Amino acid sequence: MNRQLTIEQTLSKQLKDAKSFPPFSVGDTIDVHYKIIEGDKERIQVFQGVLIAQKGRGVNATITVRRIVANEGVERIFPLHSPRLSKIDVVRRADARRAKLYYLRERTGKSRRLRDQRRGLKGLEAALAATDTVAAEAPAAETAPKGEGKKKATKD
Amino acid sequence: MPAAAILGKKIGMTRWFMEDGTNIPVTVIEAGPCVVTQVKTTATDGYAAVQLAFDDAKARTSTQPVIGHDAKAGSAPKRVHRELRLENDKDAEGFTLGQAVTVSALDGIKFVDVTGQSKGKGFQGTMVRWNFKGMCASHGTERKHRSPGSIGGGGTDRGVGPKLKKGKKMSGHMGDERVTVRSLDVVSIDTDKNLLVVKGAVPGASDGYLFIKTPTRLYKRKARTQAGK
């Protein structure tokens, strides 16, 4: 039995559906809704920042989000399949020509910004609509228009 | 609770998300199915035990004694055979020759002991092998930074003769020995795929054989958890 495959199968129940996230990629500014448990109370904290790295596969997949708080860079690594990560919203899409944007750590001021993706949020909305139709027509997923959104969704 | 055991193979480690959102390191083990190849009783062997066998071996590479022994249980020759000691003959009555033992034997069990052959580390010095501190980095120390220091003068430990106490911790071969990790939490059992997920690491490399049994003695904290279930 293939070892890696067996592990993946074991954990398949732990994985979130690929469609539970909007299509996002490195360079995007995203809102990460993360559940914080204080005693027996639970609240959702939103961490907004630039997605600078995606790592790991399967249940080990993580995202690294960087933001500036009080002139100090803060990076948080979220396990993508954690039950505490309830939602991801894409705020702004940007062009990234690297898979890992660690060079942003050295940047200050205006050079910290990334170039907006030409299609901007308009493209994102279309992509989201595409995933919605895919979700709605689950059996007919094969016939769904092979647009940008679907491609991204399956990749993520 | 009568003792239960199963043979398995280490598949690898990964992470596991608990319901409250925390995640823990886990080891995935392919556990069973095993075959009971011998049931020992006080009448026949002087003690009660059950022998389990796991993992098919090619008949061509198996020896005649193994082929014959496993054939008695109506099974093809197996690669690993391990014995689970039982308290009395009454426990042994629960097992019959040729009976299949699957991971469901561990159903409802919270903790297990896992035994395996640890990874070989080769010849190691005392710092790696026994966590000795070594010597000073400075203060005039020369060429002795990782040495064990004095190993005892004439007869200090034994009282007589110029010999060291037996078992003195020194450099030597490390690893590749039988190691038991006690009281590991059982995280999940998959009876369809014969998989067992335990919290933490188990001895040996992936694909190594493991012997998993109900714990002989739990650590205090875990014993409390079990008592208060």
Side-chain angles (χ1 to χ4, degrees):
Chain A
M1 201 167 6
N2 181 321
R3 266 191 252 136
Q4 202 53 45
L5 191 73
T6 316
I7 291 182
E8 275 167 26
Q9 284 172 349
T10 322
L11 300 168
S12 56
K13 280 176 208 155
Q14 295 234 312
L15 289 176
K16 283 182 190 168
D17 190 3
K19 286 161 200 153
S20 55
F21 301 117
F24 59 82
S25 58
V26 169
D28 294 352
T29 305
I30 56 173
D31 271 352
V32 181
H33 297 249
Y34 202 68
K35 278 180 206 156
I36 309 259
I37 296 160
E38 289 166 336
D40 49 355
K41 266 189 257 173
E42 196 182 277
R43 66 187 174 86
I44 286 181
Q45 192 185 60
V46 182
F47 189 85
Q48 189 183 77
V50 182
L51 178 62
I52 62 164
Q54 273 182 293
K55 273 187 175 182
R57 289 175 186 206
V59 80
N60 279 323
T62 59
I63 52 170
T64 308
V65 184
R66 180 179 171 84
R67 68 171 297 184
I68 308 295
V69 182
N71 254 336
E72 196 64 48
V74 175
E75 279 177 23
R76 281 192 73 174
I77 301 170
F78 296 99
L80 210 51
H81 293 279
S82 166
R84 288 203 187 165
L85 197 157
S86 55
K87 202 168 86 172
I88 289 177
D89 287 333
V90 180
V91 180
R92 175 177 173 268
R93 312 205 85 195
D95 265 337
R97 306 184 76 163
R98 306 269 177 282
K100 306 274 189 281
L101 305 182
Y102 297 141
Y103 67 85
L104 290 180
R105 291 169 179 167
E106 329 283 297
R107 300 272 183 101
T108 49
K110 275 190 178 177
S111 64
R112 202 187 280 137
R113 292 174 312 178
L114 292 166
R115 193 164 60 137
D116 249 342
Q117 216 163 48
R118 266 174 229 110
R119 55 185 169 276
L121 277 174
K122 206 181 281 176
L124 174 72
E125 275 153 20
L128 279 172
T131 41
D132 283 348
T133 43
V134 171
E137 305 161 15
E142 298 294 317
T143 55
K146 283 185 179 160
E148 165 84 13
K150 184 161 180 273
K151 217 165 113 195
K152 288 257 172 176
T154 45
K155 202 178 83 183
D156 294 332
Chain B
M1 184 174 64
I6 197 161
L7 285 160
K9 199 187 227 181
K10 176 167 165 179
I11 290 177
M13 291 192 73
T14 181
R15 79 164 89 198
W16 191 270
F17 287 109
M18 308 300 275
E19 278 167 17
D20 62 352
T22 52
N23 63 81
I24 53 170
V26 293
T27 308
V28 181
I29 300 167
E30 182 192 345
C34 300
V35 183
V36 174
T37 46
Q38 197 177 5
V39 182
K40 294 186 174 182
T41 57
T42 19
T44 55
D45 300 271
Y47 65 100
V50 58
Q51 190 191 64
L52 301 172
F54 173 63
D55 212 12
D56 284 325
K58 281 182 195 154
R60 186 165 55 81
T61 52
S62 305
T63 60
Q64 283 294 346
V66 169
I67 295 173
H69 179 76
D70 288 353
K72 270 189 212 166
S75 149
K78 299 282 182 182
R79 196 176 296 272
V80 213
H81 299 77
R82 291 283 183 280
E83 204 172 280
L84 169 68
R85 191 73 184 258
L86 299 168
E87 236 168 74
N88 46 42
D89 288 350
K90 217 178 159 193
D91 286 350
E93 278 168 17
F95 296 96
T96 50
L97 205 60
Q99 177 195 341
V101 177
T102 62
V103 72
S104 54
L106 297 175
D107 257 346
I109 287 173
K110 281 192 167 179
F111 302 103
V112 286
D113 286 356
V114 179
T115 307
Q117 194 81 2
S118 67
K119 281 185 187 174
K121 306 283 192 293
F123 191 100
Q124 295 295 340
T126 48
M127 286 176 75
V128 169
R129 195 175 179 213
W130 299 110
N131 295 327
F132 280 16
K133 279 184 171 173
M135 293 201 175
C136 271
S138 62
H139 295 299
T141 310
E142 277 185 316
R143 304 177 296 279
K144 294 271 180 199
H145 306 288
R146 298 180 66 87
S147 80
S150 168
I151 54 168
T156 45
D157 276 327
R158 275 195 132 183
V160 284
K163 281 188 173 181
L164 285 173
K165 193 179 182 181
K166 291 269 188 206
K168 173 78 195 133
K169 290 173 181 175
M170 292 215 227
S171 312
H173 190 273
M174 184 182 169
D176 194 20
E177 57 184 356
R178 191 184 142 105
V179 174
T180 304
V181 184
R182 280 167 53 202
S183 317
L184 290 177
D185 293 41
V186 176
V187 176
S188 165
I189 287 175
D190 189 338
T191 44
D192 296 337
K193 296 187 191 120
N194 291 311
L195 293 172
L196 172 70
V197 181
V198 295
K199 181 178 173 184
V202 303
S206 295
D207 276 348
Y209 290 109
L210 301 167
F211 184 58
I212 302 131
K213 67 191 276 283
T214 44
T216 37
R217 191 163 58 86
L218 285 171
Y219 289 121
K220 272 185 186 169
R221 182 178 60 78
K222 302 202 170 178
R224 276 202 298 273
T225 316
Q226 195 166 45
K229 61 183 168 183

